[in-house]
Every structure is written in C-alpha cells, then in structure tokens.
C-alpha cells in the first residue's frame, strides 16, 4: 500500500508582551502611519527576559500534540526550524524533546530563515514517505527581537517573536501533502543576514577579535523585489508538482513579512482577497513561525474549511524560498473528541 502523510495538529506559542507601533515611535524616528502603510503591521509580540526560543517552541509543541491528541512517546522525530536559537547546542529540538517527554524521538534543528518551516515540513514528509517514521513534529520558532538593533528603524519595526508547530502523521494510501518545492541562492545571502558574534577569524596582528554583538542587517528594497518574484516562482512550481493550477487553491498562506508583499503577489497571480490568509497586522514577521501561526490564527477564525487546498509559501534569508501544497483535513480533537 502507498504511504502518505497528513497534517493532524497545529499549535502556537506567542509571547504575551505586545509592542505597538506607538511604542516604537518612542524608540526610533518612525510613525504608526509609516509602519502601517509600508508593512501592514500594527502590533508584534516580543519575549521578556524570562522567555526564550525554546519556551515558545515547547508551548507550540504541546498545543499541536493536544490538537492531534497524540501521546508524546509516539513521536518519532522533532525538527525545529529556527535561525535565532538560544544555544548553538543543545538544539531547540532537543530541548523540546526533553520538555514534552517525547522519549522515543530523534531531534534536530535546521536553519533556512523564514523558509525554515517549508524546509522542515519537506524533510519530515520525506521521513514519512520512506516509511522510516510515522509521527514527525515540525516547529518554526524565532525570537528576532534578541537579534535586532532597536536603534535601526529599517529593521526593528518589522519583526515579532513566536513559534508555530505542525504535527505530520503517516496516512496509509492517502497523501495530503500534495507537493513540496525548495530553492536557495547563497550568492544573494548578504541581502539579509545576522552574523554570528563569536565566529570571526581575526587575522593575527591585524584585526581585533570581534566581541561585539552583531545585529540583523537587511537591504529592504532588494528583499522586497526578491519576495515578489520568489513567491510566484515557488507557488507555480509547487502547483505544477501537485498537478493543480493556481486557481485551484482555496487559501494562499504566505510567509507573513509584509501585507504589501502579500497583496502585490496575490494581485499578480489573480488570487482573490478572500483566499489570502494573513495575520501580519497582529504579530509582525515571526520568521520561521509565521506560516504555522497564520494557519493557527485562521483556524481560530474559522477561515480554513476542511478539505481545502492550501498553498504554503516561504521566502527569506539564505536566500531561500519554497512552497508546499497541502489538503487541510485536521480537526482539533480537544473540541471534537472521538
Ligand atoms: N519609519 C520611517 N521611515 C523609515 C522607516 C521607518 N521605520 N524605515 C525606513 N524609513 C525611511 C527610509 O530611511 C527611507 O528614507 P529616505 O528616502 O530618506 O532614504 C524611506 O523611509 C523609504 O525607504 P524605503 O526602503 O524605500 O521604503 P520601502 O517602501 O521600501 O519600505 C520596507 C521599506 C518596509 C523595509 C520594505 O522594503 C520591505 O518590506 N522590504 C522587505 C523586507 C522583508 O520582508 N524582510 C524580511 C524578509 S526575510 C525574513 O523574513 C527573514
């Protein structure tokens, strides 16, 4: 029998602390009007000192496991997509594994910036299709607030912190992850980057060791141009692989970086506004978490109907981009006990 995979759970971990555009007006030379009109962002959630990347990831994991009503001991693999981990090691995935009691799971992090969740979903899907694993938890989590220069108005207004999780399960004979598509272009990696503060190799007698904290740097206009081309490329390729056309998509769930990017791409692809899933206004750009968080929010708003065809499309640092076409059939077991 053919082995397929389906998504059975979704979860969120969102810090309680909210930072508004008006709060940012007190930090940098900006305005609520500028931020809203250029990005669509109104608020974002930011971690406090006692919160961490792993804490948000664990919250999202527990939520997704509850949604799917799965015993943590039955999870075979945990993949965490993050570019802002608390440690170089232990990985966030191992911290999640320990915290949720997934005693039989392998665990590792992967890094593909904001496209990370599409990469993690693709890797998890492969493990299921080969028959290696039956239950894979994929999490996207980022705490960019810890890596932002809060004096740089070009970047600090864009990002929020958060985690989103998806549980993938083997589904005999029925594959609901209809396609995945991944790309990268390292030659343009400098357009958005966070150097690792501890990783410089100073030339002896010439350079001073770099001990200063280094922040996210971005060429906003170039990333905007990249995004409005990368999304259609990924979407068209993923649709082709799934043997559907763009007009068959019920919901477009793009990386939530900027409402202008989402609207411009939808316009270019002739995707009607009622098919767009967006929560960028409330949470800002949560990087690897943004797609599962958008799904989670849309389900809360009764926006995604069972059996809908959803296109998840990511783009971000690396540069990386990619997409996955899925059929959504998961229901919250806490609300619908069998
Ligand atoms: N408040 C007020 N003015 C600002 C601000 C701000 N927060 N930030 C920039 N400006 C100024 C600039 O300094 C510039 O002034 P100047 O003309 O005097 O030099 C002016 O506003 C216009 O700047 P632009 O860069 O042309 O503004 P643009 O309309 O392109 O919007 C933005 C900037 C929002 C960053 C846009 O380029 C964008 O969204 N790019 C994509 C960014 C993105 O999505 N990054 C993340 C993707 S990858 C990932 O998620 C990791």
């Amino acid at each position: 029998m053919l082995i397929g995979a389906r998504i059975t759970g979704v979860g969120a971990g969102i810090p309680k602390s909210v930072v508004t555009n008006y709060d940012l007006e007190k930090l940098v030379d900006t305005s609520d009007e500028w931020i809203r009109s250029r990005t669509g962002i109104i608020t974002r959630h930011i971690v406090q000192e006692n919160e961490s990347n792993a804490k948000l990831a664990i919250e999202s994991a527990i939520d997704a496991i509850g949604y799917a009503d799965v015993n943590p001991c039955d999870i075979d693999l945990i993949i965490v997509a993050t570019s802002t981990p608390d440690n170089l090691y232990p990985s966030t995935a191992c911290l999640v594994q320990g915290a949720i009691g997934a005693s039989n799971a392998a665990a590792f992090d992967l890094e593909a910036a904001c496209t990370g969740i599409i990469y993690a979903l693709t890797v998890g899907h492969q493990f299921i299709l080969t028959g290696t694993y039956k239950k894979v938890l994929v999490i996207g989590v980022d705490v960019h607030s810890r890596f932002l220069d809060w004096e740089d108005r070009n970047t600090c207004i864009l990002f929020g912190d958060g985690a989103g999780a998806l549980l993938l399960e083997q589904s005999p004979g029925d594959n609901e992850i209809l396609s995945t598509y991944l790309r990268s272009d390292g030659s343009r990696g400098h357009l958005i980057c966070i150097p690792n503060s501890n990783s410089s190799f100073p030339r002896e007698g010439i350079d001073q060791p770099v001990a200063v904290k280094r922040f996210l740097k971005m060429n906003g206009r170039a990333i905007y141009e990249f995004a409005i081309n990368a999304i259609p490329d990924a979407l068209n390729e993923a649709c082709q692989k799934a043997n559907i056309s763009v007009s068959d998509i019920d919901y477009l769930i793009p990386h939530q970086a900027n409402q202008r990017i989402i609207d411009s791409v939808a316009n270019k692809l002739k995707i009607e506004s009622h098919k767009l899933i967006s929560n960028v206004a409330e949470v800002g750009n949560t990087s690897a978490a943004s797609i599962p968080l958008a799904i989670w929010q849309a389900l809360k708003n009764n926006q995604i109907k069972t059996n809908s065809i959803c296109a998840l499309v990511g783009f971000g640092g690396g540069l990386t981009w990619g997409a996955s076409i899925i059929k959504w059939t998961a229901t919250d077991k806490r609300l619908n006990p069998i």
Side-chain angles (χ1 to χ4, degrees):
M1 189 193 295
L2 268 179
I3 298 175
R6 59 186 290 253
I7 295 173
T8 58
V10 56
I14 306 175
K16 288 203 173 46
S17 175
V18 175
V19 173
T20 66
N21 293 344
Y22 297 108
D23 295 327
L24 293 176
E25 286 180 359
K26 295 174 199 144
L27 289 182
V28 289
D29 181 12
T30 191
S31 66
D32 173 60
E33 195 284 321
W34 194 97
I35 300 171
R36 272 183 206 237
S37 61
R38 297 301 220 286
T39 70
I41 299 168
I42 301 170
T43 57
R44 69 286 288 144
H45 296 246
I46 299 291
V47 284
Q48 297 294 290
E49 262 176 36
N50 62 350
E51 293 177 303
S52 65
N53 175 296
K55 182 174 184 286
L56 299 181
I58 291 163
E59 272 175 38
S60 72
I62 292 169
D63 194 17
I65 290 167
Y67 193 102
D69 191 23
V70 158
N71 184 332
C73 295
D74 293 335
I75 296 173
D76 302 302
L77 173 65
I78 300 169
I79 309 173
V80 171
T82 187
S83 40
T84 55
D86 301 324
N87 319 293
L88 292 183
Y89 53 82
S91 65
T92 301
C94 280
L95 297 177
V96 171
Q97 181 272 333
I100 67 172
S103 47
N104 296 305
F108 66 88
D109 286 3
L110 67 74
E111 197 280 294
C114 307
T115 322
I117 193 71
I118 304 291
Y119 272 74
L121 179 73
T122 304
V123 175
H125 186 213
Q126 296 301 315
F127 272 112
I128 291 179
L129 289 188
T130 57
T132 310
Y133 293 134
K134 291 191 169 132
K135 294 187 198 317
V136 179
L137 181 62
V138 299
I139 301 172
V141 55
D142 271 307
V143 287
H144 266 93
S145 66
R146 297 254 158 90
F147 297 85
L148 293 173
D149 176 355
W150 288 97
E151 293 179 0
D152 176 13
R153 68 179 182 173
N154 293 295
T155 52
C156 76
I157 56 138
L158 296 173
F159 294 89
D161 302 330
L166 298 171
L167 187 73
L168 314 184
E169 292 193 59
Q170 190 185 81
S171 159
D174 192 14
N175 192 18
E176 294 179 1
I177 298 177
L178 307 178
S179 71
T180 57
Y181 170 76
L182 300 176
R183 287 294 303 273
S184 68
D185 178 7
S187 71
R188 289 186 285 165
H190 59 282
L191 294 177
I192 181 163
C193 58
I194 309 178
N196 182 341
S197 300
N198 293 328
S199 69
S200 69
F201 295 94
R203 291 164 294 173
E204 207 173 328
I206 301 173
D207 297 326
Q208 291 293 311
V210 179
V212 290
K213 188 162 166 113
R214 292 193 258 170
F215 301 110
L216 182 146
K217 293 278 175 226
M218 177 185 73
N219 179 333
R221 280 190 196 177
I223 290 293
Y224 190 98
E225 286 302 314
F226 154 63
I228 58 172
N229 292 308
I231 298 174
D233 170 62
L235 187 62
N236 285 322
E237 293 287 341
C239 282
Q240 208 175 326
K241 287 177 86 176
N243 216 7
I244 63 169
S245 64
V246 172
S247 60
D248 295 324
I249 291 166
D250 296 311
Y251 298 105
L252 175 65
I253 310 169
H255 168 44
Q256 306 285 306
N258 180 324
Q259 192 60 44
R260 260 167 71 209
I261 293 176
I262 297 173
D263 291 341
S264 149
V265 166
N267 196 25
K268 194 164 159 183
L269 293 166
K270 299 191 174 36
I271 297 177
E272 301 98 306
S273 58
H274 70 269
K275 294 184 172 180
L276 297 182
I277 300 294
S278 170
N279 65 349
V280 68
E282 293 131 76
V283 297
N285 178 346
T286 58
S287 195
S290 89
I291 290 173
L293 273 186
I295 296 174
W296 179 84
Q297 183 87 62
L299 289 165
K300 280 217 167 308
N301 299 339
N302 287 323
Q303 229 181 329
I304 297 178
K305 307 275 178 298
T306 301
N307 290 320
S308 301
I309 301 296
C310 301
L312 322 184
V313 190
F315 63 90
L319 299 177
T320 53
W321 66 106
S324 176
I325 307 294
I326 60 165
K327 185 158 112 180
W328 187 268
T329 59
T331 52
D332 192 340
K333 298 272 177 25
R334 293 166 298 197
L335 307 174
N336 306 290
I338 299 165

